[in-house]
Every structure is written in C-alpha cells, then in structure tokens.
Amino acid sequence: MSDYDVPRGIDVLRVFCGPDGRHGNALGVVRDGRSHPDEASRQLLARRLGFSETVFVDDPERGRVDIHTPGLRLPFAGHPLVGTAWLLDLEVLELAVGDVFARQDGEFTWITARPEWVPPRTLQQYASAAEVEALPGPPPGEGWLYAWAWEDEAAGRVRARAFPRRGDAIVEDEATGAAALLLSARLGRALNITQGRGSQILTAPAPDGTVEVGGRVLMAGRG
C-alpha cells in the first residue's frame, strides 16, 4: 500500500523519521533518470510531485544523482542523499561538488559531506525551544532560514524548524540535512536535532572539516 500516488518508476521515501517511525521528509526518487533526460522535464516532474526534493538517479552503480526542488536544481542536499544511499545501498554518491560517502549503522543511514557544498542558509538562534515551536510560519525576510534553539545544550539536543522562503510550494521543510550539517559545523559538536513535527537528524563533525549527517529512512510508496 502506498501513501502517495506517484507515476510508475518513482519511489517515495520518508527521510529522518522520528524514533517511533513517524514524520520524516518525503522524498521522490526516480530510479531511472533516463526517463526524464533533460533539466526541463526533471523540473516539471519535481514541480508536479511537490516534494521538497526529488532525486533522479543517472547511474545507480556509481551513485551519480541529480537533485531538484519544485523550483530549482540543487548542487547538494542532505535528505535526498541520505534517502538515496539507503534505497540503493550505496557507499558513494557522485555530485558535481564532490563525492559523498555513505554508510549504514543499524537503523541509521549516514552521509559525510563538506559545509562549503551547502547552498547559503541563515541559521537563526532563538531563546527557547518553545519560541521555535510557536512560530506561526516563516518569519519576515528573504532567503533560506533555519530557526533553532537548544532543548538541552549539555546533551547537544536542538529544536529546529526550516523555512525555504524561495517562493515555491514548500512553505516549511520537515527535515533538512544540509542545514543541520551547517549548524553542526558552526557549533563544532555532535547534535541530536528534532525538526518540524517530530523528525530526527543526527550530526557528527570530524577533524578534517567534514560532517556526518544521519537518520532513519522508511519506504512510503512505490509507483
């Protein structure tokens, strides 16, 4: 049974699910990128599906992938890469910015990436988790906003919400690996992030400047 009505050849995953298996950010994965060979057709499908990101797999053995939002192509994004690595059981994903290494660890799938690969984000700290949760929608302003606060600073527990503010159909992003990566790099410590309605993202910075981002992935539907 599928939670989503999608065309044949498309898998729908939920990435960064909570400990109870709920929530997570929906991701469309087009297993055979040849079905949409050019950027215009890929953008059209991503807009039609309406997920925050859709991945087109151009080479499943080498892990070459292409990532689109409903409005633009992305050089890097966290939850699409975690989801695709889980789905195809890959150890390396090839992007134009560089190779992203992946690993499986029990119920978690991890990717390793560099902060400089992430498109610009504003990381705005709030005084409390309650303030983040009380936001009625995107705060005024332009550009991608990651609103966060400590739930338990000593334990590295963070409460966050993400607002793309880019004028497409995605008003709030349920779980955002790229922003979590940037926050972990800025703070220089491992984080356990609760984002959106209850998604969970784990991070771990390394001495070489890379950051691991991990979470649970579940299959939500298959076209």
Side-chain angles (χ1 to χ4, degrees), residues 16 53 76-79 115 118-124 144-148 158 160-163 173 175-187 191 193 195 201 203 211 213:
F16 298 129
E53 280 99 16
F76 174 88
H79 103 274
V118 179
R121 303 276 194 269
T122 297
L123 309 178
Q124 183 173 335
W144 220 104
L145 175 69
Y146 200 58
W148 72 278
V158 167
R161 292 173 66 189
F163 303 99
D173 206 19
T176 315
L181 185 157
L182 288 179
L183 183 60
S184 188
R186 174 182 291 185
L187 298 175
L191 300 175
I193 300 171
Q195 186 181 323
I201 307 169
T203 70
V211 178
V213 179

Side-chain angles (χ1 to χ4, degrees), residues 8 30 62 87 99 120-121 151 180:
R8 184 178 297 276
V30 182
R62 297 182 60 180
L87 179 66
D99 289 347
R121 303 276 194 269
E151 279 191 324

Side-chain angles (χ1 to χ4, degrees), residues 25 50-53 69-70 138 162-174:
N25 201 354
F51 302 130
S52 58
E53 280 99 16
T69 77
F163 303 99
R165 297 194 300 193
R166 60 193 174 208
D168 61 22
I170 309 301
V171 176
E172 180 170 352
D173 206 19
E174 174 60 26

Side-chain angles (χ1 to χ4, degrees), residues 29-58:
V29 180
V30 182
R31 281 182 175 264
D32 186 353
R34 294 174 300 179
S35 63
H36 293 78
D38 57 77
E39 186 165 347
S41 64
R42 293 182 176 192
Q43 202 60 69
L44 184 64
L45 178 64
R47 189 160 51 249
R48 174 187 169 192
L49 293 175
F51 302 130
S52 58
E53 280 99 16
T54 297
V55 172
F56 297 84
V57 181
D58 290 323

